[in-house]
Amino acid sequence: MKIEQVSDSVYAVAGTNVNWALVSDGSGVTVIDAGYPSDTADVLASVQQIGHQPADIAAVLITHAHLDHIGAIPTLVDRVGMPVYTGAEEVRHAKREYLQQITPAGMIKQLTTPRGRRWVTHTLRAIYGHIQMTVPTATTGEPSALAALPGALIAIPTPGHTTGHTAYLMPSEGVLFSGDALVTAHPLLRDSGPQLLPPVFNHDEALTLTTATQLVTQPARTLVPGHGRPIPFDADRITAALAGRP
């Protein structure tokens, strides 16, 4: 686990090939995404390392309900009982009314390269025993509820990676939490910088690209992605990178 403070109130945390973020207003914390199941202890430790206790968690916001973004939620709900918010459509995904996730066949295809084999090994270890995880308490993050949380966040629908994928903007400090709509690195990607995840992860590849391209209009100064390091939010750089993708 590595914690990086990216603004006055925001901390980006790198776990097992995935990120979560913490927004603190001094009295409480908003957790954005929650790592793999194997990251649960680190999610709790990260809250403590920025000067809080689990009881200070006001809510967990999830960008989408893939296993690498919801892993610590069952433990957090058991210990704290805080609400879990996401996009209206992603609530159904979190409750597993349907599943949009890399398939076993897609996983097997990654075994053809050393890079892919490493990622598959890490992933299987990270989700072991939790493949059927759901988030039964997930509810829609209404604007008034999000505005009352530490960070006063705004939900931005960002469909494509999943149908209900949601990014979050913190206007007061210009931080955009893009989840997997726009990333800066991943173990299966050769290069770093603003880009999409490999197509095998995206439910709708064309829509994912459209959504990422539209994100450049957000009034942000810092991008905190679901995978890869936070970077300055440079709309021209992001636009050029997306336009030049293979």
Side-chain angles (χ1 to χ4, degrees):
M1 177 184 66
K2 181 177 180 181
I3 301 177
E4 179 179 355
Q5 186 169 3
V6 300
S7 69
D8 289 345
S9 305
V10 176
Y11 302 80
V13 190
T16 305
N17 297 330
V18 71
N19 304 331
W20 59 92
L22 309 173
V23 182
S24 170
D25 67 359
S27 61
V29 180
T30 301
V31 178
I32 302 173
D33 287 335
Y36 278 105
S38 66
D39 289 316
T40 296
D42 282 342
V43 172
L44 290 165
S46 67
V47 171
Q48 294 175 320
Q49 287 188 31
I50 68 165
H52 286 279
Q53 296 301 317
D56 297 332
I57 299 174
V60 177
L61 309 186
I62 51 178
T63 58
H64 63 295
H66 284 165
L67 286 173
D68 56 338
H69 293 260
I70 64 172
I73 289 177
T75 296
L76 294 176
V77 170
D78 285 346
R79 293 194 183 186
V80 182
M82 75 287 143
V84 179
Y85 296 128
T86 190
E89 179 58 32
E90 199 66 12
V91 168
R92 296 179 59 228
H93 191 207
K95 294 180 178 181
R96 291 301 185 257
E97 295 179 19
Y98 61 86
L99 180 63
Q100 295 174 341
Q101 191 160 277
I102 186 172
T103 64
M107 294 278 285
I108 290 170
K109 288 180 180 179
Q110 309 312 313
L111 298 175
T112 59
T113 67
R115 185 188 302 272
R117 287 192 290 274
R118 286 192 297 272
W119 175 78
V120 170
T121 299
H122 291 164
T123 300
L124 292 178
R125 289 174 179 169
I127 66 174
Y128 180 75
H130 299 278
I131 192 69
Q132 302 298 327
M133 178 179 289
T134 67
V135 187
T137 61
T139 59
T140 302
E142 300 293 349
S144 59
L146 300 188
L149 296 174
L153 296 149
I154 296 173
I156 303 169
T158 44
H161 181 68
T162 66
T163 300
H165 190 289
T166 302
Y168 299 94
L169 177 68
M170 182 178 173
S172 62
E173 296 181 16
V175 180
L176 177 65
F177 304 92
S178 60
D180 287 1
L182 180 65
V183 303
T184 62
H186 187 273
L188 296 184
L189 294 169
R190 294 185 177 276
D191 301 313
S192 60
Q195 59 192 301
L196 304 186
L197 283 172
V200 70
F201 295 114
N202 299 322
H203 177 68
D204 185 328
E205 178 74 2
L207 185 56
T208 303
L209 177 59
T210 298
T211 288
T213 303
Q214 291 172 345
L215 278 176
V216 301
T217 64
Q218 294 299 321
R221 298 188 297 274
T222 303
L223 176 69
V224 178
H227 301 270
R229 291 281 308 278
I231 61 172
F233 190 86
D234 185 329
D236 290 340
R237 179 189 178 193
I238 294 170
T239 299
L242 295 173
R245 62 189 293 272

